[in-house]
Amino acid sequence: MSDTLYAAATTLAGPPAVVTNELNYVLNILAWLVTAAGVCGLLIVGSRMAVSLRSGEGDEHLSQFAMVMGACVIGATAGPIVGFVL
């Protein structure tokens, strides 16, 4: 009886592997794209800050930096949240 309950519980515990394998592939690609976008965003904000400070202009680069870092945090936590839900 316990073997039957265990088999039923494990089959009902999650979606089939066909679905999760494709979803994991898409999530991995999106994770790499978010990482690349975060690095590019930080490079762009840093280069704009360097050029502005070199020319003597004092723009608000800290808010741009915080916005890029916030987007990186959201992108980094999206994958584990989806993995937890599935």
Side-chain angles (χ1 to χ4, degrees):
M1 182 71 170
S2 64
D3 293 333
T4 307
L5 289 175
Y6 179 74
T10 56
T11 57
L12 296 176
V18 175
V19 174
T20 56
N21 287 341
E22 293 177 3
L23 186 61
N24 285 337
Y25 180 71
V26 171
L27 285 175
N28 286 336
I29 290 174
L30 288 176
W32 279 106
L33 290 175
V34 166
T35 302
V39 169
C40 288
L42 289 174
L43 287 174
I44 289 170
V45 168
S47 63
R48 288 180 63 200
M49 185 185 332
V51 169
S52 293
L53 290 176
R54 182 84 171 169
S55 64
E57 298 174 4
D59 292 333
E60 50 183 55
H61 296 288
L62 190 58
S63 64
Q64 293 174 356
F65 178 76
M67 191 180 334
V68 171
M69 289 305 293
C72 289
V73 167
I74 290 171
T77 58
I81 289 173
V82 170
F84 175 74
V85 170
L86 292 179

